[in-house]
Amino acid sequence: MTSANAAYRSWGRPQSEAGKRVVRLWWRDQAFPADRPALPFGNGRSYGDSCLAREGALIDLRGLDRFISFDDDTGLLRCEGGVLLSDILAHFVPKGWFLPVTPGTRFVTLGGAIANDVHGKNHHRAGSFGHHVRCFELLRSDGARIVCSPHESADWFAATIGGCGLTGVILWAEIALQRVPGPAMEVDTLRFSGVDEFLEISHASHNSHEYTVAWIDALNPGRDGARGLFFRSNFAADQRPVAAPRPKPGLPFTPPVSLLPKPAVRLFNTATRRWPRRSRQYVHYERSFYPLDAVPNWNRLFGRRGFYQYQCVVPYSAAEAIGELIARVARAGEGSFLSVLKVFGDHKPVGWLSFPRPGLTLALDFPDRGERTLKLLDTLDEITAEAGGAVYPAKDARMDAQTFQRGFPSWRRLEDYRDPAICSDFWRRVAIPQPT
């Protein structure tokens, strides 16, 4: 038993309280910690407070970091819940295997990827991470150990995938890796202007490219409501030597103020918009999937107040809401350093609280400037909700209960499966009635 420290923070708001105590699991046969309430904690890469529990203990799962088995013929990998995706990549990419779905950082645990049902650049083709989970074992506070799959304890399977760690501790899981020819990727970059052109390129790239994503200029969206760069890529069939990015020096401390002022963001956006109309590169997969991982502790750039990442999804029928969201951000002058637009495919969500669903998803980063930032985010919530969309729980730190429950109507079902000894700050805020 230890006291929580700076290592146990959310990624977006490092000033948030993490919890009073930390207990660690090292072995799969350990009992559930006696401390209650408690919350499983992976590697702390959730942006908001879904990984925090100020009222109880955090259960550190990084000690469960072992590979258990691998089938060279099928690509089925079984490993413990605390294994990092980076560990899987380091071991299996040289053998010709890759993650079926990966988020924008490889420094998340397998259990965390399942609990947040993470998505990547290939949702239009492969769905979310949960679509590739074959089974896992769940440890409950009453000592029960439940092996879950789509065919065995299927309700527990659906509750846990995307369930924000609330149903129990994921001791191990089995996932299906995919074959790749090597580490080199062929990346096409196209400039676009407007959501309509973005959708045209997305549609044209659906069958030809496994991975698609777009960067947009949220400070100067232009007359068409969104302009930026569309990236589409595949693992290169003709592999050629490519170098992994060298780690850059990270900030050794958190500065008192953000190092990303609006003029710097504007300069970055202007330089990026001058990219050639169309280009092609061969790059190492780390450059394509994880550009920010090369900068240790890049979240410190936002200063001591931290930052909010806002990610929402709206249905295709309300695609015009994306232009409205971007316009509101531009008018507010808040400036989002990294603004990402992607298409979600028509895959049926695996988990009851899975965020990915058919439509368009927009992710924005905002330095925490207090009330004016919160007011902007409330406005974005209203636009998203009116469009029939939802806000991503793994990246949220402030949406209200009404917004959450409207976007995730199955939340009551999840509450019925939540372990009574487990709760997070996020769940208290959005699902548990507070005393008046």
Side-chain angles (χ1 to χ4, degrees):
M1 173 75 65
T2 61
S3 298
N5 57 41
Y8 298 93
R9 297 284 192 250
S10 68
W11 190 248
R13 295 178 60 83
Q15 81 280 16
S16 299
E17 295 182 34
K20 298 176 182 178
R21 300 174 306 281
V22 174
V23 292
R24 292 184 172 88
L25 289 187
W26 298 99
W27 307 101
R28 297 194 299 276
D29 59 0
Q30 278 183 253
F32 190 95
D35 286 69
R36 303 179 186 203
L39 180 70
F41 188 93
N43 203 38
R45 288 302 179 109
S46 294
Y47 286 75
D49 55 2
S50 64
C51 65
L52 302 179
R54 286 173 291 181
E55 300 303 319
L58 295 178
I59 306 172
D60 186 337
L61 302 179
R62 285 288 291 118
L64 297 178
D65 60 355
R66 304 165 188 90
F67 294 126
I68 299 172
S69 64
F70 180 69
D71 189 317
D72 289 299
D73 295 323
T74 63
L76 286 180
L77 169 66
R78 179 174 293 193
C79 54
E80 293 178 334
V83 168
L84 292 175
L85 299 188
S86 59
D87 297 332
I88 296 175
L89 293 168
H91 187 80
F92 287 101
V93 170
K95 300 178 183 295
W97 296 94
F98 194 74
L99 294 166
V101 169
T102 179
T105 174
R106 64 193 188 279
F107 299 127
V108 301
T109 62
L110 176 61
I114 295 171
N116 293 291
D117 195 15
V118 298
H119 56 273
K121 301 176 182 179
N122 60 341
H123 188 277
H124 64 290
R125 297 274 290 270
S128 63
F129 199 87
H131 286 94
H132 306 274
V133 176
R134 297 296 178 258
C135 57
F136 53 80
E137 184 178 15
L138 194 66
L139 172 64
R140 299 274 291 178
S141 63
D142 61 3
R145 294 170 181 264
I146 309 172
V147 175
C148 310
S149 76
H151 313 292
E152 181 180 2
S153 300
D155 280 357
W156 288 105
F157 188 82
T160 302
I161 292 179
C164 301
L166 297 169
T167 61
V169 173
I170 298 173
L171 296 174
W172 58 263
E174 187 174 275
I175 62 172
L177 302 184
Q178 68 172 26
R179 290 190 181 276
V180 292
M185 300 193 72
E186 186 177 10
V187 181
D188 287 341
T189 305
L190 299 85
R191 277 192 296 155
F192 68 90
S193 182
V195 175
D196 288 344
E197 187 175 4
F198 164 82
L199 289 171
E200 290 175 7
I201 299 174
S202 294
H203 179 74
S205 306
H206 184 280
N207 294 325
S208 58
H209 291 80
E210 176 78 9
Y211 306 101
T212 63
V213 69
W215 167 88
I216 59 172
D217 184 347
L219 263 182
N220 301 285
R223 289 176 296 177
D224 294 320
R227 57 182 176 181
L229 302 176
F230 188 99
F231 304 93
R232 58 187 187 186
S233 59
N234 293 308
F235 279 92
D238 55 332
Q239 287 287 306
R240 58 185 67 180
V242 288
R246 294 182 179 180
K248 298 175 175 60
L251 285 178
F253 63 93
T254 301
V257 297
S258 172
L259 300 183
L260 298 170
K262 282 190 292 184
V265 175
R266 195 179 302 275
L267 182 63
F268 171 82
N269 289 354
T270 300
T272 305
R273 286 202 314 271
R274 292 175 179 172
W275 197 276
R277 180 68 180 173
R278 182 168 183 171
S279 64
R280 175 171 296 178
Q281 294 177 297
Y282 285 84
V283 301
H284 192 277
Y285 74 86
E286 290 182 12
R287 293 184 184 275
S288 179
F289 289 110
Y290 316 114
L292 290 178
D293 281 354
V295 184
N297 298 314
W298 61 264
N299 56 339
R300 293 178 178 174
L301 291 169
F302 289 90
R304 290 177 185 167
R305 294 184 67 112
F307 70 103
Y308 294 97
Q309 180 163 112
Y310 186 88
Q311 184 167 5
C312 64
V313 57
V314 299
Y316 294 116
S317 58
E320 67 278 1
I322 295 295
E324 187 176 354
L325 287 164
I326 296 170
R328 291 296 181 96
V329 172
R331 287 203 298 270
E334 283 291 286
S336 172
F337 182 65
L338 291 175
S339 307
V340 176
L341 182 61
K342 291 186 289 191
V343 167
F344 283 154
D346 294 330
H347 302 275
K348 182 180 178 180
V350 179
W352 297 336
L353 256 63
S354 290
F355 169 72
R357 62 199 69 182
L360 305 179
T361 180
L362 176 68
L364 305 158
D365 290 341
F366 300 105
D368 181 4
R369 297 191 176 100
E371 189 61 32
R372 64 175 180 171
T373 304
L374 293 172
K375 184 176 180 180
L376 170 62
L377 295 176
D378 287 343
T379 300
L380 301 185
D381 281 350
E382 294 171 4
I383 297 171
T384 297
E386 185 65 26
V391 178
Y392 194 9
K395 296 184 177 181
D396 174 67
R398 29 65 51 198
M399 74 167 146
D400 60 27
Q402 182 179 3
T403 300
F404 168 74
Q405 293 171 18
R406 185 173 176 180
F408 295 88
S410 295
W411 72 273
R412 292 186 186 275
R413 197 175 183 190
L414 188 279
E415 174 64 15
D416 291 339
Y417 282 76
R418 179 173 67 88
D419 191 302
I422 293 178
C423 198
S424 65
D425 291 350
F426 167 79
W427 198 248
R428 286 189 178 89
R429 173 162 51 85
V430 301
I432 297 179
Q434 301 298 309
T436 57

